[in-house]
């Protein structure tokens, strides 16, 4: 089920990005393409600066500012995690739940936000991320501030920083790429699934400018040799 959802998200996202970019209507400023003096290098995971990519939290916040409609049927149910045994499945779902968490929190969906935050903490332990922090304290802080967007952004950013630090210390950049990619894909899925998308020019512009990130992620994921035989990826 996770694999099917991921494939659908990829297909829908890429189609929406390029159909909207090439569609009729007001022309948006195009992102410069590489020329003969700017070779289109093929990155590997070691060469990608993950810090240079906008976080899914940041993109979700841009969607929020663009008045992205909240559609509760789009978010993934927590029960999807039950029964998963493969670490790759868990990493992908971790990123997707992170995207759903930001989507819910920015739309004041307290119950959905809390359940996904708690589940992400559980998944991080299941995939071996020893973050060396007080789990109950951060969960309580999130619960107490779930309706304060500025506090939510701070808490989620801090949580992401803890994960990034662990990944850097343990040289787990491939895991970071998988989780970032699944979170980004889910965020694009949420952004592309609204009604009357073509009427929201701010949202369309945000989506169109994600095409460069899409290209980077596709080529980078293709270089993850460790996961080439994993049907989930």
């Amino acid at each position: 089920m996770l694999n099917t959802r991921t494939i659908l998200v990829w297909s829908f996202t890429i189609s929406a990005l390029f159909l909207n970019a090439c569609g009729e209507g007001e022309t948006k400023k195009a992102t410069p393409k590489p020329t003969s003096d700017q070779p289109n290098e093929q990155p590997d995971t070691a060469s990608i600066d993950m810090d240079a990519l906008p976080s899914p939290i940041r993109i979700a916040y841009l969607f929020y500012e663009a008045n992205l409609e909240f559609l509760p049927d789009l978010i993934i149910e927590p029960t999807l995690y039950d029964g998963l045994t493969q670490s790759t499945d868990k990493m992908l779902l971790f990123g997707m739940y992170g995207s759903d968490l930001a989507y819910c929190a920015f739309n004041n969906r307290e119950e959905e936000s809390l359940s996904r935050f708690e589940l992400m903490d559980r998944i991080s332990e299941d995939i071996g991320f020893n973050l060396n922090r007080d789990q109950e304290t951060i969960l309580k802080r999130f619960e107490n501030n779930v309706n304060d967007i500025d506090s939510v952004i701070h808490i989620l950013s801090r949580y992401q920083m803890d994960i990034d630090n662990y990944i850097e210390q343990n040289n787990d950049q491939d895991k970071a790429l998988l989780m970032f990619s699944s979170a980004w894909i889910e965020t694009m899925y949420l952004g592309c699934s609204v009604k009357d998308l073509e009427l929201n020019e701010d949202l369309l512009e945000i989506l169109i400018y994600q095409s460069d990130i899409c290209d980077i992620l596709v080529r980078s994921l293709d270089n993850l040799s460790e996961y080439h035989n994993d049907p989930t990826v």
Side-chain angles (χ1 to χ4, degrees):
M1 183 174 181
L2 176 60
N3 189 31
T4 302
R5 172 70 177 271
T6 304
I7 292 172
L8 288 174
V9 170
W10 269 115
S11 303
F12 190 89
T13 300
I14 294 172
S15 298
L17 286 171
F18 289 102
L19 285 175
N20 284 317
C22 300
E24 297 180 357
E26 181 180 353
T27 302
K28 299 294 182 181
K29 183 178 179 181
T31 302
K33 299 298 180 182
T35 64
S36 57
D37 295 328
Q38 298 172 305
N40 191 9
E41 298 179 357
Q42 301 294 316
D44 55 29
T45 48
S47 68
I48 297 174
D49 182 4
M50 298 297 293
D51 291 334
L53 296 175
S55 70
I57 297 174
R58 172 60 180 164
I59 300 173
Y61 185 72
L62 291 176
F63 284 171
Y64 163 76
E65 289 188 317
N67 297 314
L68 175 65
E69 179 185 6
F70 182 80
L71 301 174
D73 291 341
L74 296 181
I75 57 177
I76 305 171
E77 289 297 324
T79 53
L80 182 59
Y81 184 68
D82 297 338
L84 290 184
T85 58
Q86 298 297 320
S87 60
T88 306
D89 288 340
K90 295 179 180 181
M91 285 185 283
L92 292 172
L93 201 56
F94 180 90
M96 297 169 82
Y97 277 134
S99 174
D100 285 355
L101 167 59
Y103 181 58
C104 293
F106 293 153
N107 285 279
N108 297 316
R109 311 290 291 203
E110 182 174 349
E111 182 178 349
E112 294 92 334
S113 300
L114 287 172
S115 64
R116 280 149 186 82
F117 193 89
E118 292 172 351
L119 185 55
M120 287 179 65
D121 216 51
R122 173 187 164 194
I123 298 175
S124 70
E125 292 185 354
D126 287 350
I127 59 181
F129 285 179
N130 182 12
L131 303 181
N132 295 319
R133 56 168 173 71
D134 189 338
Q135 177 182 359
E136 292 186 5
T137 297
I138 192 170
L139 289 174
K140 191 66 177 178
R141 282 184 59 211
F142 186 81
E143 182 178 0
N144 291 339
N145 295 278
V146 69
N147 292 317
D148 183 334
I149 290 180
D150 289 338
S151 295
V152 166
I153 292 174
H154 176 76
I155 294 170
L156 294 183
S157 298
R158 179 68 193 189
Y159 186 80
Q160 183 64 55
M161 187 182 302
D162 289 342
I163 293 175
D164 291 344
N165 289 337
Y166 176 87
I167 286 173
E168 183 176 357
Q169 293 170 5
N170 292 273
N171 196 29
D172 276 340
Q173 284 77 14
D174 287 356
K175 291 182 180 179
L177 178 60
L178 284 177
M179 292 188 295
F180 176 90
S181 299
S182 64
W184 182 85
I185 293 167
E186 178 74 358
T187 302
M188 295 299 101
Y189 172 76
L190 297 173
C192 291
S193 298
V194 298
K195 300 174 183 177
D196 301 322
L197 174 60
E198 68 279 2
L199 300 181
N200 190 331
E201 293 188 0
D202 291 337
L203 182 57
L204 276 175
E205 188 166 1
I206 295 169
L207 289 169
I208 290 170
Y209 278 109
Q210 300 301 308
S211 59
D212 285 343
I213 297 179
C214 180
D215 184 54
I216 291 171
L217 293 179
V218 169
R219 289 185 280 121
S220 301
L221 288 168
D222 191 50
N223 287 326
L224 288 183
S225 57
E226 177 183 351
Y227 300 98
H228 277 178
N229 294 323
D230 191 326
T232 305
V233 179

